[in-house]
Each structure stands twice: as structure tokens, then as C-alpha cells.
Amino acid sequence: MKSSWKTFKAHPMSLVFFILVCAGVILTVGILFLVVAFVLIRGVPYLTPDLFALEYTSENCSMLPAIVSTIEMVGISLLVAVPLGVFCAIYLVEYAGKGNKLVKLIRVTTETLSGIPSIVYGLFGMLLFVRALGWGYSLLAGSFTVAIMILPLIIRSTEEALKAVDDSYREGSFGLGAGKLRTVFVIVLPSAMNGILAGIILAIGRVIGETAALMYTAGTVAAYPKSVFDSSRTLSLHMYSLSREGMHMNEAAATGVVLLIVVFLLNSFASFVAKKLKSKT
Amino acid sequence: MAVKFSVSNLDLYYGDFQALKNINIRMNENEVTAFIGPSGCGKSTLLKSLNRMNDLVEGCKITGTVLLDNVDIYKNMEITELRKNVGMVFQKPNPFPMSIYDNIAYGPRTHGIKRKSQLDEIVETSLKQASIWEEVKDRLKKSALGLSGGQQQRLCIARALAVKPEVILMDEPTSALDPISTMKIEELCFDLKKEYTIIIVTHNMQQATRISDKTAFFLHGEIVEFGETGQIFAMPKDKRTEDYITGRFG
Ligand SMILES: Nc1ncnc2c1ncn2[C@@H]1O[C@H](COP(=O)(O)OP(=O)(O)O)[C@@H](O)[C@H]1O
Ligand SMILES: [Mg+2]
């Protein structure tokens, strides 16, 4: 810092730049801090045991059913999207040749899909799953809709993870007479697991945070879904419903705290898994 | 001595670029054959065509014949069978990110060996053959990536030996290693040639004189001269070979 004063005198522009950089950092951290602080201050005082009552009533506004259906929603959508996305990425990276037309098509499709606003997915899900397939507003329709929504993310992150695997591993495996299938599943996939998991966790975050696409497909019933064909609302949608009704702003804020904690835990878990895997290899 | 590999009229193209031109060479059983020559002259390319690793390269075309024990490896041999018989050790040590044991057992498992006792035995003999057993016997379950570079390379040699090949191809196996590790690997080549046929690419001419019986000098995709290592280095027949080994060359 001492020498930098001299630099600043000689080059006044660099001082301006330095201030801009500092301002950027302070603003970013500050805003983040403000958001978290606001949610906590506004919500923590209303985190009553009532909010975690076993059954939802319009008095207690329990979020337990919403937590359960969030978990189910995440589970089903991953069950659909992860195998599909991972296999698709394996095909793209390991099997398809360069300049393959299908690869280009899939790439354009996934890029386009990832740019579409989620409410459009919601509309699509409603037309296909809710109406055409007759699943009604349901956990299943919602899960399939968000599964399609997170598919590009999973394909993309798996693709990147596979590409990052050193080619010398593949060569080593082929050199021992192993075929493509064995090489991909025994050597390449485990090495790419880190990146794939990171993508999956990002995807979980998107499912948990999704509201627009689910309003049209999963509906907003606040009870536990008895089957996958029952309507049920996730935590985010629960929070949205509470605040939209205008009478439960405090409960909505408390739900916000829980969402924040869930996301925080998820991220910590992600970096924990990443570290675990790294130290193992 | 019996001929192991016999390459005739081999031309190899990467797309439009001809990387090998009319290669004719025979490599004998239980000998070390060295490929020398400046970078980019096609040494690795020829080595890789001996176990068809070039098949992985898109746009690679090969004409001519390569016979292994008189069988055409491009026409009459399964690729798994070929690679089981012709093992490869790469320039950069490339142990898999798994345990030392699993690294060695990977090849045998690939070829259908499942019995634990049999795998145990293969792991031990391969590691002993690659003279690394003493260093790793107490840490077989530990990750192979924790080994030093020289140990990793000997592990890779052990891994190649574990499928019981007849030929071992080595592409500049010591170029990333320190002098002591290099010496260990050179000694290893010397021991291994009693049972195997070894073909080694090297940048280091001293290395070629130390370990090889025959030497092939490559230039611009052609073999300029091939013969007894002693003769190549003492009395090269071709002016270009002489220029290269006396260091008057890139
Ligand atoms: N996969 C490839 N695609 C295109 N050209 C290649 C490829 N591999 C090698 N080459 C080219 O072929 C020539 C010979 O390469 P290589 O056999 O690796 O040389 P060396 O091992 O003798 O240094 C070089 O000109 C190189 O650029
Ligand atoms: Mg080379």
C-alpha cells in the first residue's frame, strides 16, 4: 500500500480505478449482507413451533408439509433429469464425433432451453403434463416440469466435468485393452464426479427456488401430497402464497429464513462433498 | 532372433497431413528397439500405430501392413486382443485416480479375471517385475496419485505388465523424470527384455545407446536409418543421421 500512493500520484487514473474496484466489492458484499440481515431480522422473531406443526391449518401456516413436498419434488425431478442429463452429456463428450450434426443440435437446444424464462416451462408443463397427459395439478407434473428446466444445467455441467478429465486417463485405459464403456464408467465418470455433483447441487437450488413454473403445474395445496398425483406446494411456493394473501407476511418472512438456511446448508454440503472427493483422489 | 513386429509400406495421414511415409521396419523378440529423431518426426505416431492407439484420432488414415507374429493387426486381430498383447507406457505417468492395487488390477479385470487370490498374485508379481513392490507393498490401498513421478511411471509399467503382454511400447517414459528415476527405468528395460519385446521412443541419445539393441532414426516422417545401436552411433551410414547424433541438428 505504501508504494501504491506513489503509483496513484503518477497515474491518477489508477486511483480512480482502485476506488471503483473497492466500491464494487463493498457494494456487493453490503447488498448481500443487507438481504440476509433483512430476512433474518424480519423472519427470526416469527419462527414459532407452530410453523412446524405436523398439519397445516390456516391459523398455524405450518411449513412442514411444504418442506416434505419440496424434498419429494427435488427427489423426483433429479430422478428424471440426472440420468437423462448425464447420459446425454456422456454421449456428447465421449461418443459423438467432432462436427456431428446431432451434437450441434443438442447444444443449440440446451442453450436455448437454459435461456427460457421458467414461467414458459410452467405453461408448457401445464399444457402437456397437467392437461394433455391428465396428471392434473400434481407433484408429478411439477417435478417433470422442473426436471426439463434443470436438464440443460445438468447436461452442461456434466459435459464440462467430462471434458476436464485428463485424456491421459482415457489413453491409459484404452491402452490396456478396455473398451469405451468400461473406460467411461470405471475411469472417466468417477473422475468427473465432483463437477457432476456441483451441477446437481446447483440444480437442486433451482428446484427449491422455483415458483413460476410450479404454480401452473404443481398447484398450491398446502397439505402433504398423498400420492404423486396430488397437488402440493414447495417451500418457495408456500412463501409466495403466504405473502400474496397479504395476511401472513410474518410467517412468509419466517419461511424465508428457513429457505435461506436450507440453501446455506446445501452449499456447505456441496463444498464438503467436493472436498471429500478431492482428498480421496 | 524371431521377428515380433513387421511393418511394411506404412503410410499414415492425419487428415491431409502425411505423418509417416513408407515405413518399413522389423522389430525382434527380446530386444529393445529405440526410436530417435527430432520432435514431430513421427516417432510417437509409429509407436501408436503398433497398438492402434491412432484409431482414437479422428481423421487418421493408415495404409500398409503391420504384422504381429505374422498376424495383420489391422485386419485379423481384435483390438482388445492386440492391446492385451501390446502394452503401452506413456510420456507423462498416468496412473488412474484410484488405489495402487486397483490400478494394477484394472487391466486383468478388464480381461475377465475376478478371483481375488488371482488378482492379488498378479498385483504382486507385476509390482515386483517393475521393481516397485518394496516401495508400495504397505500402501496398496492408498491412492496411486500420492506416489512420486518416478514411482508413478514404474507403477504404469507394472500396470502394463499385469495383463501379461508380449510387447511393451514406451513413449519417452523418462522425459518427465529425474535422473535417478530415469536410471531405475533404464535398468528395468534391461531386465524386462529377457521376457518382453520393448520398443522405446527417446529424446535422449545416451539413453538409446545405454538400453537399446537396435535404433531407428526418424526424420520428417521417414526412417532414415535403422540398424544395430552400436553401428548407428559409431558409424552412421547416412549424413543426416550423423548430423543428428553429433548435435548439428534441431
Ligand atoms: N492427433 C494428431 N492430429 C494431427 N496431427 C498430429 C497428431 N498427432 C501428431 N500429429 C503430427 O504428426 C507429426 C508427428 O507427430 P509425433 O508422432 O507426435 O512426433 P514425435 O513423437 O516424433 O515428436 C507432427 O507433425 C505432429 O504435429
Ligand atoms: Mg512424441
Side-chain angles (χ1 to χ4, degrees):
Chain A
M1 280 317 272
K2 240 183 233 163
S3 65
S4 57
W5 269 119
K6 268 184 210 152
T7 326
F8 290 154
K9 265 196 197 130
H11 310 278
M13 267 320 280
S14 73
L15 179 64
V16 173
F17 196 70
F18 181 71
I19 291 170
L20 278 176
V21 169
C22 286
V25 171
I26 292 167
L27 267 175
T28 311
V29 175
I31 289 170
L32 203 69
F33 180 78
L34 257 174
V35 170
V36 173
F38 178 79
V39 172
L40 289 182
I41 293 169
R42 191 67 186 69
V44 169
Y46 300 100
L47 272 177
T48 55
D50 259 5
L51 277 179
F52 299 95
L54 274 181
E55 291 296 334
Y56 171 91
T57 63
S58 48
E59 266 105 71
N60 66 14
C61 296
S62 168
M63 66 175 95
L64 209 58
I67 292 178
V68 171
S69 70
T70 305
I71 294 171
E72 289 175 351
M73 182 82 67
V74 167
I76 299 173
S77 57
L78 289 186
L79 223 56
V80 176
V82 170
L84 218 60
V86 169
F87 282 118
C88 185
I90 289 178
Y91 173 76
L92 289 178
V93 178
E94 307 288 337
Y95 285 87
K98 275 193 210 106
N100 185 323
K101 289 253 168 58
L102 195 59
V103 174
K104 278 189 198 141
L105 183 73
I106 295 178
R107 207 149 277 157
V108 169
T109 313
T110 52
E111 254 153 46
T112 314
L113 281 177
S114 60
I116 293 177
S118 60
I119 196 152
V120 178
Y121 283 98
L123 203 65
F124 169 79
M126 180 171 77
L127 294 177
L128 178 63
F129 301 123
V130 177
R131 299 254 174 88
L133 295 180
W135 294 351
Y137 289 108
S138 62
L139 199 58
L140 202 62
S143 302
F144 271 68
T145 306
V146 287
I148 297 175
M149 208 175 77
I150 60 175
L151 199 55
L153 184 72
I154 291 184
I155 293 176
R156 224 17 201 294
S157 55
T158 307
E159 235 188 305
E160 293 307 317
L162 291 175
K163 277 191 200 149
V165 174
D166 205 328
D167 261 341
S168 72
Y169 291 158
R170 295 185 180 86
E171 279 186 336
S173 175
F174 291 133
L176 289 164
K180 197 123 201 180
L181 202 66
R182 182 165 165 80
T183 303
V184 169
F185 282 90
V186 184
I187 304 291
V188 179
L189 261 189
S191 310
M193 210 38 106
N194 249 341
I196 297 174
L197 270 179
I200 290 175
I201 283 160
L202 272 180
I204 295 176
R206 282 200 61 185
V207 175
I208 292 179
E210 189 48 49
T211 49
L214 294 179
M215 257 187 292
Y216 289 127
T217 51
T220 53
V221 170
Y224 296 104
K226 295 203 175 51
S227 81
V228 289
F229 292 107
D230 275 351
S231 163
S232 180
R233 63 200 199 191
T234 62
L235 212 49
S236 292
L237 211 50
H238 178 67
M239 183 174 164
Y240 169 78
S241 306
L242 287 180
S243 54
R244 190 187 49 170
E245 285 155 18
M247 296 158 65
H248 299 289
M249 288 315 280
N250 298 336
E251 287 82 356
T255 310
V257 173
V258 174
L259 260 175
L260 206 65
I261 294 172
V262 168
V263 171
F264 175 76
L265 285 180
L266 205 62
N267 281 344
S268 317
F269 179 69
S271 44
F272 171 77
V273 169
K275 260 200 209 108
K276 238 318 131 42
L277 284 174
K278 216 167 248 161
S279 65
K280 241 177 87 184
T281 54
Chain B
M1 240 185 238
V3 174
K4 197 74 194 171
F5 258 122
S6 164
V7 179
S8 339
N9 307 322
L10 184 106
D11 288 306
L12 186 146
Y13 298 83
Y14 289 122
D16 295 331
F17 173 71
Q18 185 167 11
L20 292 176
K21 294 166 198 157
N22 193 29
I23 300 291
N24 289 283
I25 187 173
R26 288 165 167 220
M27 284 150 285
N28 289 338
E29 214 164 55
N30 303 109
E31 279 188 355
V32 177
T33 305
F35 292 174
I36 62 167
S39 277
C41 62
K43 306 178 298 288
S44 301
T45 300
L46 180 58
L47 199 71
K48 282 195 251 168
S49 21
L50 299 179
N51 71 343
R52 296 185 58 179
M53 288 301 269
N54 282 324
D55 288 18
L56 304 173
V57 179
E58 238 165 288
C60 175
K61 284 190 304 291
I62 299 178
T63 59
T65 51
V66 180
L67 305 181
L68 171 66
D69 292 324
N70 281 320
V71 180
D72 189 325
I73 65 166
Y74 282 91
K75 293 214 180 82
N76 301 323
M77 200 182 284
E78 281 292 321
I79 207 155
T80 20
E81 180 66 14
L82 169 68
R83 293 193 183 142
K84 187 182 169 304
N85 286 325
V86 183
M88 189 158 201
V89 176
F90 300 84
Q91 189 162 358
K92 215 180 101 224
N94 61 345
F96 301 131
M98 46 174 83
S99 73
I100 293 171
Y101 184 98
D102 288 337
N103 259 280
I104 308 295
Y106 182 80
R109 280 176 179 147
T110 300
H111 298 287
I113 295 176
K114 293 211 175 69
R115 269 226 331 275
K116 173 97 170 45
S117 57
Q118 204 178 348
L119 286 172
D120 286 349
E121 193 221 300
I122 291 174
V123 168
E124 183 171 341
T125 44
S126 313
L127 288 168
K128 277 182 176 156
Q129 276 184 300
S131 55
I132 187 178
W133 171 251
E134 288 304 321
E135 290 156 73
V136 300
K137 66 177 180 202
D138 300 320
R139 51 194 286 203
L140 293 176
K141 296 283 165 211
K142 296 261 167 64
S143 168
L145 301 186
L147 299 171
S148 74
Q151 289 174 324
Q152 287 189 2
Q153 195 61 302
R154 276 179 287 144
L155 181 80
C156 290
I157 294 175
R159 186 176 71 186
L161 296 176
V163 295
K164 305 195 163 52
E166 293 165 10
V167 183
I168 302 168
L169 310 174
M170 300 190 184
D171 193 351
E172 302 191 33
T174 61
S175 65
L177 304 183
D178 60 275
I180 297 193
S181 304
T182 300
M183 202 181 71
K184 282 191 183 146
I185 290 193
E186 288 180 6
E187 282 167 4
L188 195 55
C189 286
F190 210 82
D191 294 338
L192 289 176
K193 79 169 178 184
K194 289 175 203 127
E195 286 177 64
Y196 303 91
T197 304
I198 296 178
I199 304 168
I200 184 169
V201 173
T202 175
H203 236 82
N204 178 328
M205 279 176 280
Q206 280 79 39
Q207 183 167 69
T209 55
R210 280 194 297 265
I211 62 175
S212 70
D213 301 289
K214 301 266 173 62
T215 296
F217 172 61
F218 286 67
L219 197 61
H220 304 312
E222 289 175 278
I223 294 183
V224 171
E225 194 167 347
F226 174 56
E228 298 287 335
T229 299
Q231 174 259 312
I232 294 271
F233 283 94
M235 301 171 287
K237 293 192 182 105
D238 196 291
K239 178 78 170 56
R240 292 167 293 176
T241 316
E242 188 181 341
D243 285 349
Y244 182 72
I245 60 178
T246 52
R248 261 174 279 164
F249 220 102

